[in-house]
Amino acid sequence: MSSLAIAFILTVLGIVSASLAASHYNCDGPLVSNLPQASFQSSSQSSISNIPHFSKLNRRDGVGGWSPQVTDRHPWLQLDLRDRMEVTAISTQGRYGSSDWVSGYLLLFSDTGLAWKQYRQEDGVGRFVGNVNADSVVHHKLSHSIRSRFLRFVPLDWNPSGWVGLRVEVYGCAYKSYVADFDGRSSLLYRFNQKSMSTVKDVISLRFKSRQAEGVLLHGEGQRGDYITLELHRGRLALYLNLDDTRLRFSSGRVAVTLGSLLDDQHWHSVLIERFNKQVNLTVDSHTQHFRTKGEGDSLEVDYELSFGGIPLPGKPGTFLRKNFHGCIENLYYNGINIIDLAKRRKPQIYSVGNVTFSCSQPQLVSTTFLSSSSSFLSLPATPSASGGFTVHFQFRTWNPDGLLLFTQLALEPQRLELQISNSRLRLTHHKSAQQKEEVSTGHRVNDGLWHSVSLSSRSLQVTMTLDNEPPSTVELADHMEAGNSLYFGGCPSSSPADPGCENPTLAFQGCMRLISINSQPMDLNQVHQGRLGNYKELQFDTCGIHDRCLPNFCEHGGQCSQSWNTFYCDCSGTGYTGATCHNSIYEASCEAYRLTGSSSGYFSIDPDGSGPLGPIQVYCNMTEDKVWTVVTHNSTDPVSVQGSTLQKPYITKFNYSASPEQLMALVAGSVQCQQEVVYSCRKSRLFNTWDGSPLSWWVDQGGERRTYWGGFLPGVQQCSCSLEENCMDMNYFCNCDADTDSWANDTGVLSYKEHLPVSEIVIGDTSRKGSEALYRIGPLCCYGDKSVWNAASFYQESSYLHFPTLQAELSTDISFYFKTSVPSGVFLENLGLKHFIRLELSSPSMVTFSFDVGNGGWGTAARQRSFMGCIRTLTINGMTFNLEERAKMTPGVSAGCPGHCSGSSRLCHNRGRCIEKNSGYVCDCSQSAYGGPSCKEEVSVSFDRESSVTYTFQEPFSVMQNRSSQASSVYRESSRARENMAFSFMTTQSPAMLLTVSTFSQQYIAVILALNGSLQIWYRLHVDRKPDVFSPSPSSLAKRMPPPYQNPPSGERCLPTGEQWRHVQEIDQDIHRKYTLSSDAELILIRSLTLGKVIGGENFDEEVMQAGSKGFFGCLSSVQFNHVAPLKAALLNRGSSLVSVRGQLVESNCGALADSTTLHPLSDQAAKPNKDKEQHGNDTRHDSAVIGGVVTAVVFITLCVVAVMTRFLYQHRQAQRDASIKEKEHRHNLETAYQREAAYQAEPAYRTELHLHDSSTLRDNREYYI
């Protein structure tokens, strides 16, 4: 049985049992209406007619309810239910017939009425919404019940036109409990009737409250290596469980499953362990973790006994292996057996070790919470010590790394003593004077949320500081020291005439303190609360308000959570995600999205479900002219020969892909189409049985289902591709292999029913006969298209909007989309409830505003007020992409699609490529570019030998591509020009060498050569009777060693049709940006031809040029551009044309990409550096300008004023593209930064929030922006 099925069984059993219990168990009776007057207490009362007893719901006693004194700074109303009860709901009213009511409050509970704990809902919110008038009843059903005797209502807000007025009722029932008290040296042993107990299913439940952060609650072990241990460790609950694995019994590698936090708070916590075979559910309070246990077996075998409260050492009563539990346990059940009831009735199965009692003792440990990191303080008088000096002792717990714990002005002024937490360590500072001080530090991470004990004492010219059980630290004194009149705990008052030197060094302490004693006298904080002792500000008495904001962990995708008192932080390092909660993937969702960023073919990490739970996967993106393919490989791409298999003992192979099944399903579901090639050859090996048609071989789809079609056909049809194409070798069969011939046959096909892809397994069963053999190869999974990236809608009427089903209020909401508009404002979307809303809008031309008040209602895009007009695409909410186009087709004022992709925020087509709009997306017309590929970024390169040449003749209008254009026809008309633009790249080891010549009918020429020393020279002869002008922009040698041959991607990463994979070549020598003055003001007249490589003839050339021309060129020429002509593309795409003359061997090559790979990081490096895949596209074009030795791009301008300028227009073009890309990326970064500021978790979150996102530029420029 699978782990998923087991988990489902456990869940269903829990639901059924809970439902059955609920059907026979009503716990909603009123508990307050019959309480006596003594059960009501309050912080104060405004008059005899407002006493706490008058606070019963719907009663009009006195003046109709309880009200505190107006001077009461911290009012509260307390109920004593006379016994521990189970409370399931609460209700409140204001004071009858008045303007006094409470609009917001906290609920505290306690077993003793001394130590209180705040009730929090499952989402961590502790604030309850109260009343809006005096007489209506507001009822709250508790998400989890309270089992307690005392309740306290703490008003937070009230009617601003009145005062606090309160009437209450609580609902529930009696709570029965079996309790045992363990003193830290005791335990209960449950002994089995036989030597060992072996179980495949266990259910263990208990409730506990602990006085310390360490202690064993449960332990059992067996001789074969099984064990189960449940213990408190650092305030968290750890479960160790192993089934039949002796290697783990005593090893240091025992791994615990931990859950819960701050469980040493002396309040009750519930635990439930459910195990079925290896599947385990561990629940602590309301948090559950599912896991599979270690070991080989399915049963837990425990020898002799289970111990509760400790692990006694055999043969040594009272001796324990680990620290025992100190506290109370109630309702302890092991597989339905009430352990405490058996112990209480002294049954022989239970053996008691030490002193175990059956009532829970209540320690008098009362805590105080310091609420503010800027203004909280507690001032206590320094009682005199009979022995001189002073001693201070207290305990504290906090999450903050800094804060003042104690300050005192010493009797010998100006000396003072400060004890503070600094950088998570405890530091004691003795200020001897304004300039002189002495410090000592101790401890490590004292802000871990645990209780720490600290003592200060002064004796014999020393001040000693002791933290927990660590060695003491001392500060030497010059004289005997006594404390001043007051000691300040937690902080200093804003102004203290008595102690002007008391200042918070960094922050005030924010956390909890307890057990404060001065000179061995315990301080009664109740007297402080009542104003009879000391002074205080921003304190909450009788409770420790510490809250673990990392439980539950809101950091997604494995992000590490850390916290302070008020908020939490997520460390997203190495997760592949970013944002306040590691929610946003740093990778694009598809190869199509990478294409939009200007990327070329290569390895990339994609995140198909975006911010969903699935992680990123590495794929190969093959960006062809018409499609962008996503290629996912597996572990067996080589051909495999199969022999000796039968239907009874078939050959079986499973394919392991570079992605999980869930990731593959997400990729396939989001793609427009997927396919997978199955190459299958056979000899005397059939696919289907001749007699009954049953399959002898098959493949298994992604869902584990057997499939018997072999390419091209829909599911359920047992046929092969040859049957579809009607070319089977024997038309009596639907597959070539079923002809069962002695010669090799082929049934290769392409599987294209994407819901079944990829192939997870292949089974071959007919290769056992003599001469039988099968040969197969399963290609990679290949998908193209992204169904969501172009899913868009255009709003062109002010009243238009799209309506989607209701989105219920959740703990978090994730919204993302692209938009562009020309209007200054408008609402993108809103979710409206009866009282609550979420709204995202363009509030000004440069500001996006997000405002919310949590509720539920229906979603709408482009709201009914200040309507948005423009385009929205790729709208994703909580991981679900909304089909805007489908809804737009049936909505007036809205059209499917979004025109104007070419006017987006970044350049989509490069190197003179022209962007052409399509209904869903765009295409790049590269006809006027020397580059190719989907974005006109891929080099068009040719390898030359010394005899090779390409000559382009300017005689008639000609387009370098097969689709002619009006721009191309201007070539002939502009054959006489005063300005020429040339650009090309080369790589060679030869010098001298001829790169390019341009000649005219009037014997003028331009030549670009490598001289004998390898330097680049540009020759201009504009007058026959004058010497040529020669410029050398690169005097050093550009003839470099050729790098090793470039390898195409492996065949396992190619999709049908197979084609060469290109990389883009970068221009170089960006330092060459110089201006040269020619000696003549002539211009080129009637350009005749352009030649690349070897020149034959050319009598008008100078000797050095002739020498280079006769040597030709050996190497690589790439992306040659002359005005609007790309001669290399013309030579490759228009072979046989009268305008293009080719001599010698001319081979299309990837040498341009080879030049790229010699210096720059190859695209495969992007997988090795995932954090830069998405974040640094703005920098990619900067890398495009990196220097490559031996490759040059020259752009020559010849002006009428006889000035030649060597510059690089491509660099400027790419710089503009880079700036636009960076600008858009900065905009997205600004959104994220603002979100991080607002997303910090608040202890009591506001109910109305607005988030404003600014951009320095206008957002209505009809460019596309991402939210």
Side-chain angles (χ1 to χ4, degrees):
M1 185 179 296
S2 68
S3 60
L4 182 62
I6 293 171
F8 177 74
I9 291 173
L10 289 174
T11 303
V12 170
L13 287 175
I15 293 174
V16 171
S17 61
S19 300
L20 290 175
S23 62
H24 296 88
Y25 179 62
N26 293 322
C27 191
D28 54 5
L31 302 178
V32 175
S33 55
N34 295 324
L35 290 178
Q37 182 172 349
S39 292
F40 296 82
Q41 287 184 295
S42 65
S43 56
S44 65
Q45 60 193 43
S46 60
S47 69
I48 193 65
S49 301
N50 298 99
I51 61 175
H53 182 242
F54 294 157
S55 61
K56 295 181 180 180
L57 196 74
N58 292 323
R59 298 282 287 271
R60 304 180 184 180
D61 302 332
V63 291
W66 165 75
S67 287
Q69 292 181 354
V70 178
T71 57
D72 193 344
R73 292 189 295 173
H74 302 288
W76 48 263
L77 172 67
Q78 181 174 312
L79 306 178
D80 180 1
L81 302 180
R82 317 304 292 173
D83 200 353
R84 288 182 68 201
M85 309 293 285
E86 182 168 3
V87 178
T88 59
I90 56 176
S91 293
T92 59
Q93 269 180 312
R95 190 168 64 82
Y96 173 75
S98 71
S99 58
D100 301 340
W101 62 81
V102 173
S103 56
Y105 60 94
L106 302 179
L107 180 64
L108 310 181
F109 59 93
S110 171
D111 278 351
T112 63
L114 297 175
W116 296 85
K117 184 175 183 179
Q118 181 180 339
Y119 178 87
R120 293 183 181 274
Q121 305 281 2
E122 289 183 352
D123 56 5
V125 176
R127 179 191 182 102
F128 285 88
V129 178
N131 301 87
V132 294
N133 55 47
D135 296 316
S136 63
V137 176
V138 176
H139 184 83
H140 289 282
K141 180 75 173 178
L142 302 184
S143 57
H144 53 277
S145 62
I146 299 173
R147 298 174 179 91
S148 187
R149 174 175 173 175
F150 295 91
L151 296 178
R152 180 177 286 184
F153 293 81
V154 181
L156 298 176
D157 300 302
W158 44 85
N159 179 21
S161 301
W163 179 231
V164 174
L166 195 59
R167 289 177 287 173
V168 300
E169 179 62 88
V170 300
Y171 305 89
C173 56
Y175 177 66
K176 185 176 183 181
S177 174
Y178 297 89
V179 182
D181 191 304
F182 299 84
D183 61 4
R185 298 180 299 276
S186 56
S187 66
L188 290 177
L189 306 182
Y190 172 64
R191 292 178 170 170
F192 307 134
N193 294 328
Q194 61 268 27
K195 177 182 177 181
S196 64
M197 176 73 73
S198 180
T199 58
V200 296
K201 182 178 74 171
D202 290 303
V203 178
I204 304 173
S205 62
L206 59 95
R207 283 167 51 84
F208 73 91
K209 65 176 179 178
S210 177
R211 303 181 194 176
Q212 59 189 19
E214 311 284 335
V216 174
L217 290 165
L218 160 68
H219 177 75
E221 62 182 61
Q223 293 182 356
R224 72 174 189 177
D226 295 15
Y227 59 79
I228 179 172
T229 304
L230 181 68
E231 68 173 326
L232 277 172
H233 178 60
R234 297 182 60 83
R236 296 172 62 89
L237 203 60
L239 174 63
Y240 300 86
L241 185 58
N242 180 63
L243 306 181
D244 193 18
D245 192 343
T246 55
R247 295 171 298 174
L248 297 176
R249 184 178 180 186
F250 299 107
S251 71
S252 59
R254 292 171 60 169
V255 179
V257 176
T258 60
L259 199 59
S261 179
L262 308 174
L263 300 179
D264 59 337
D265 59 358
Q266 299 184 66
H267 291 279
W268 288 102
H269 299 279
S270 60
V271 182
L272 175 63
I273 303 172
E274 301 168 292
R275 182 186 69 86
F276 185 77
N277 293 339
K278 290 188 177 68
Q279 191 68 32
V280 183
N281 295 344
L282 172 63
T283 302
V284 178
D285 296 330
S286 58
H287 305 290
T288 301
Q289 187 163 338
H290 310 278
F291 67 96
R292 285 181 62 84
T293 184
K294 302 287 186 180
E296 303 297 328
D298 290 329
S299 62
L300 174 64
E301 187 171 299
V302 179
D303 294 340
Y304 303 112
E305 64 192 17
L306 277 175
S307 62
F308 301 94
I311 310 177
L313 191 64
K316 295 183 179 181
T319 303
F320 297 88
L321 293 174
R322 298 163 84 162
K323 194 166 186 177
N324 272 26
F325 174 73
H326 189 189
C328 301
I329 299 177
E330 71 175 4
N331 296 343
L332 171 57
Y333 289 88
Y334 167 69
N335 291 335
I337 300 172
N338 189 334
I339 301 297
I340 296 177
D341 181 51
L342 292 179
K344 193 173 182 180
R345 293 189 287 133
R346 301 182 181 277
K347 293 296 182 178
Q349 303 98 306
I350 303 296
Y351 179 74
S352 179
V353 178
N355 182 28
V356 179
T357 59
F358 300 103
S359 62
C360 188
S361 59
Q362 306 293 345
Q364 302 297 316
L365 298 179
V366 180
S367 302
T368 297
T369 304
F370 292 74
L371 300 173
S372 172
S373 61
S374 59
S375 56
S376 289
F377 76 91
L378 169 62
S379 173
L380 294 174
T383 57
S385 172
S387 59
F390 75 95
T391 60
V392 178
H393 174 85
F394 61 92
Q395 293 182 354
F396 71 90
R397 73 190 311 173
T398 185
W399 296 119
N400 288 356
D402 299 284
L404 180 65
L405 290 173
L406 175 66
F407 173 90
T408 181
Q409 189 78 47
L410 301 181
L412 188 61
E413 295 187 3
Q415 298 187 43
R416 63 186 190 273
L417 209 61
E418 289 178 355
L419 178 65
Q420 62 179 308
I421 303 173
S422 177
N423 293 324
S424 304
R425 302 194 69 197
L426 202 62
R427 185 170 72 191
L428 176 65
T429 305
H430 175 216
H431 293 270
K432 299 179 180 180
S433 64
Q435 294 79 26
Q436 189 178 11
K437 65 180 180 180
E438 186 176 356
E439 294 181 347
V440 291
S441 297
T442 187
H444 175 68
R445 289 200 65 224
V446 296
N447 61 324
D448 55 4
L450 300 178
W451 283 109
H452 295 280
S453 177
V454 60
S455 298
L456 289 181
S457 62
S458 66
R459 288 192 183 90
S460 303
L461 302 181
Q462 287 184 337
V463 178
T464 302
M465 173 178 63
T466 304
L467 174 67
D468 298 330
N469 297 318
E470 296 187 13
S473 303
T474 60
V475 172
E476 300 294 334
L477 302 174
D479 199 353
H480 291 283
M481 182 180 68
E482 292 185 2
N485 296 326
S486 299
L487 286 87
Y488 293 94
F489 292 85
C492 293
S494 56
S495 60
S496 174
D499 288 298
C502 184
E503 295 181 359
N504 294 328
T506 52
L507 298 172
F509 173 72
Q510 203 171 16
C512 303
M513 287 190 186
R514 70 182 184 186
L515 298 178
I516 300 176
S517 65
I518 301 174
N519 293 331
S520 302
Q521 296 185 15
M523 295 291 103
D524 187 354
L525 297 184
N526 284 327
Q527 293 190 34
V528 177
H529 192 197
Q530 295 166 8
R532 297 198 294 265
L533 178 66
N535 194 12
Y536 69 93
K537 183 179 181 181
E538 295 289 335
L539 263 59
Q540 186 177 12
F541 292 91
D542 303 335
T543 181
C544 178
I546 192 169
H547 176 57
D548 192 340
R549 304 189 184 282
C550 290
L551 186 71
N553 186 0
F554 290 103
C555 302
E556 303 176 47
H557 305 108
Q560 297 297 313
C561 182
S562 60
Q563 61 186 306
S564 64
W565 186 265
N566 289 327
T567 189
F568 71 94
Y569 312 93
C570 295
D571 181 3
C572 307
S573 303
T575 65
Y577 295 83
T578 186
T581 59
C582 309
H583 181 75
N584 307 315
S585 179
I586 65 175
Y587 306 107
E588 301 289 357
S590 65
C591 289
E592 182 76 27
Y594 276 112
R595 174 180 178 255
L596 290 176
T597 66
S599 299
S600 299
S601 297
Y603 291 97
F604 293 89
S605 291
I606 65 172
D607 201 335
D609 69 334
S611 58
L614 303 178
I617 58 178
Q618 189 183 77
V619 300
Y620 186 81
C621 295
N622 184 10
M623 300 181 189
T624 64
E625 294 278 352
D626 57 340
K627 290 184 177 66
V628 178
W629 290 92
T630 302
V631 185
V632 185
T633 59
H634 54 76
N635 62 330
S636 180
T637 55
D638 295 329
V640 178
S641 176
V642 179
Q643 291 179 300
S645 64
T646 65
L647 194 58
Q648 291 72 31
K649 293 184 178 180
Y651 167 88
I652 302 175
T653 289
K654 295 184 178 181
F655 301 101
N656 297 320
Y657 290 82
S658 57
S660 68
E662 294 78 15
Q663 290 171 325
L664 291 173
M665 290 178 64
L667 171 62
V668 170
S671 300
V672 173
Q673 183 57 41
C674 294
Q675 64 186 45
Q676 196 165 12
E677 183 186 35
V678 178
V679 178
Y680 195 90
S681 300
C682 54
R683 183 174 59 185
K684 294 189 66 176
S685 175
R686 298 160 295 169
L687 290 173
F688 301 100
N689 190 291
T690 305
W691 303 105
D692 57 9
S694 60
L696 298 173
S697 299
W698 58 87
W699 55 276
V700 179
D701 67 14
Q702 64 167 332
E705 296 292 329
R706 178 189 298 186
R707 301 297 173 186
T708 57
Y709 63 99
W710 294 87
F713 276 93
L714 293 176
V717 181
Q718 296 186 165
Q719 298 183 14
C720 299
S721 293
C722 69
S723 180
L724 175 65
E725 299 168 2
E726 298 183 352
N727 60 1
C728 292
M729 58 189 303
D730 187 337
M731 297 305 295
N732 293 316
Y733 303 99
F734 294 118
C735 295
N736 289 323
C737 289
D738 289 345
D740 205 21
T741 63
D742 293 333
S743 60
W744 283 97
N746 187 287
D747 272 319
T748 295
V750 177
L751 305 174
S752 56
Y753 190 75
K754 74 169 191 171
E755 283 72 14
H756 290 168
L757 297 179
V759 176
S760 63
E761 182 180 308
I762 190 170
V763 180
I764 300 175
D766 186 26
T767 62
S768 62
R769 293 174 292 162
K770 184 178 180 180
S772 292
E773 186 178 0
L775 187 69
Y776 76 89
R777 183 180 67 82
I778 306 297
L781 174 66
C782 300
C783 299
Y784 70 81
D786 185 334
K787 292 197 299 185
S788 65
V789 72
W790 295 116
N791 193 299
S794 299
F795 302 86
Y796 56 87
Q797 291 183 3
E798 291 187 357
S799 59
S800 61
Y801 67 92
L802 296 181
H803 189 272
F804 290 96
T806 298
L807 175 71
Q808 297 297 328
E810 302 178 9
L811 295 181
S812 62
T813 298
D814 169 18
I815 305 171
S816 65
F817 59 90
Y818 292 85
F819 78 91
K820 60 181 178 179
T821 184
S822 58
V823 299
S825 64
V827 176
F828 296 119
L829 53 87
E830 63 182 356
N831 184 44
L832 297 177
L834 296 177
K835 296 185 299 181
H836 308 112
F837 66 90
I838 297 177
R839 182 180 297 117
L840 184 62
E841 61 185 315
L842 179 67
S843 54
S844 75
S846 60
M847 181 186 297
V848 173
T849 301
F850 176 53
S851 54
F852 64 91
D853 189 349
V854 176
N856 51 32
W859 276 104
T861 62
R864 286 147 253 178
Q865 56 178 351
R866 288 184 292 173
S867 299
F868 171 78
M869 295 181 65
C871 292
I872 295 177
R873 74 171 175 91
T874 320
L875 172 62
T876 303
I877 300 177
N878 293 340
M880 182 180 69
T881 301
F882 282 56
N883 194 334
L884 299 174
E885 292 188 349
E886 180 182 6
R887 192 59 61 97
K889 292 176 182 178
M890 59 185 73
T891 305
V894 186
S895 62
C898 185
H901 302 293
C902 295
S903 60
S905 60
S906 61
R907 185 73 178 267
L908 299 174
C909 302
H910 306 270
N911 302 309
R912 292 189 176 183
R914 187 166 61 95
C915 185
I916 300 176
E917 296 286 349
K918 296 291 185 181
N919 289 333
S920 294
Y922 69 96
V923 295
C924 292
D925 176 10
C926 305
S927 61
Q928 303 302 314
S929 172
Y931 292 75
S935 302
C936 306
K937 291 181 64 176
E938 296 178 0
E939 295 278 0
V940 176
S941 307
V942 171
S943 293
F944 285 70
D945 62 24
R946 289 182 175 86
E947 300 299 320
S948 301
S949 69
V950 173
T951 299
Y952 184 90
T953 304
F954 296 84
Q955 291 181 345
E956 62 183 14
F958 177 75
S959 172
V960 297
M961 302 295 290
Q962 291 178 350
N963 54 332
R964 302 172 184 265
S965 69
S966 60
Q967 283 184 324
S969 67
S970 65
V971 172
Y972 179 72
R973 292 195 302 269
E974 298 181 2
S975 59
S976 296
R977 298 165 52 95
R979 180 185 181 117
E980 308 295 334
N981 297 328
M982 288 187 292
F984 62 90
S985 300
F986 75 93
M987 179 162 44
T988 185
T989 60
Q990 173 190 339
S991 64
M994 173 61 74
L995 297 174
L996 177 149
T997 60
V998 177
S999 59
T1000 70
F1001 287 101
S1002 57
Q1003 297 185 341
Q1004 298 170 312
Y1005 73 84
I1006 301 175
V1008 183
I1009 69 171
L1010 285 183
L1012 185 62
N1013 63 0
S1015 64
L1016 180 71
Q1017 293 183 354
I1018 303 176
W1019 290 62
Y1020 297 91
R1021 178 176 282 277
L1022 303 181
H1023 282 280
V1024 177
D1025 55 350
R1026 295 185 186 180
K1027 289 184 179 181
D1029 293 308
V1030 181
F1031 306 111
S1032 183
S1034 178
S1036 60
S1037 176
L1038 294 181
K1040 304 290 184 180
R1041 180 181 62 85
M1042 299 287 283
Y1046 171 70
Q1047 297 293 325
N1048 282 326
S1051 60
E1053 290 155 359
R1054 294 180 180 171
C1055 290
L1056 297 179
T1058 301
E1060 189 173 10
Q1061 314 297 323
W1062 290 87
R1063 300 187 181 189
H1064 56 279
V1065 172
Q1066 278 71 20
E1067 305 96 328
I1068 60 95
D1069 296 340
Q1070 69 181 47
D1071 292 335
I1072 302 177
H1073 187 176
R1074 301 172 186 167
K1075 180 181 294 185
Y1076 299 92
T1077 302
L1078 300 177
S1079 60
S1080 171
D1081 58 356
E1083 61 185 59
L1084 293 178
I1085 301 173
L1086 294 176
I1087 299 175
R1088 180 178 62 186
S1089 63
L1090 179 151
T1091 300
L1092 305 173
K1094 186 170 185 176
V1095 176
I1096 298 176
E1099 294 80 2
N1100 60 320
F1101 288 172
D1102 291 272
E1103 181 178 354
E1104 191 172 349
V1105 176
M1106 281 293 298
Q1107 183 182 1
S1110 64
K1111 295 292 185 180
F1113 175 76
F1114 177 77
C1116 169
L1117 276 173
S1118 180
S1119 299
V1120 181
Q1121 184 90 43
F1122 181 80
N1123 295 335
H1124 297 294
V1125 174
L1128 281 185
K1129 287 180 71 175
L1132 295 174
L1133 300 178
N1134 298 273
R1135 293 180 185 266
S1137 169
S1138 61
L1139 297 182
V1140 182
S1141 175
V1142 177
R1143 292 179 179 272
Q1145 186 177 7
L1146 196 68
V1147 180
E1148 184 177 3
S1149 173
N1150 57 3
C1151 54
L1154 175 60
D1156 177 21
S1157 65
T1158 62
T1159 302
L1160 301 183
H1161 295 295
L1163 290 176
S1164 58
D1165 286 352
Q1166 296 180 15
K1169 299 181 179 180
N1171 289 345
K1172 298 183 180 179
D1173 278 0
K1174 184 173 178 181
E1175 292 177 336
Q1176 297 190 356
H1177 291 305
N1179 296 331
D1180 286 349
T1181 50
R1182 185 182 298 118
H1183 295 306
D1184 289 352
S1185 303
V1187 176
I1188 304 174
V1191 185
V1192 66
T1193 296
V1195 180
V1196 184
F1197 299 92
I1198 306 176
T1199 65
L1200 189 60
C1201 59
V1202 200
V1203 176
V1205 181
M1206 286 194 57
T1207 185
R1208 301 177 64 247
F1209 76 92
L1210 289 179
Y1211 174 74
Q1212 296 172 351
H1213 161 79
R1214 292 183 181 225
Q1215 182 71 25
Q1217 171 197 357
R1218 182 194 70 184
D1219 293 343
S1221 178
I1222 291 176
K1223 192 169 186 179
E1224 180 183 15
K1225 214 62 178 174
E1226 288 176 347
H1227 177 70
R1228 295 175 66 173
H1229 175 72
N1230 291 338
L1231 301 182
E1232 181 178 298
T1233 303
Y1235 169 66
Q1236 288 176 335
R1237 296 194 192 105
E1238 294 292 334
Y1241 184 88
Q1242 301 296 322
E1244 303 297 338
Y1247 285 84
R1248 170 74 180 264
T1249 300
E1250 290 195 359
L1251 172 62
H1252 300 282
L1253 309 174
H1254 299 265
D1255 193 275
S1256 58
S1257 62
T1258 178
L1259 299 181
R1260 57 168 178 161
D1261 53 7
N1262 215 29
R1263 295 192 303 167
E1264 190 171 61
Y1265 292 88
Y1266 175 78
I1267 293 181

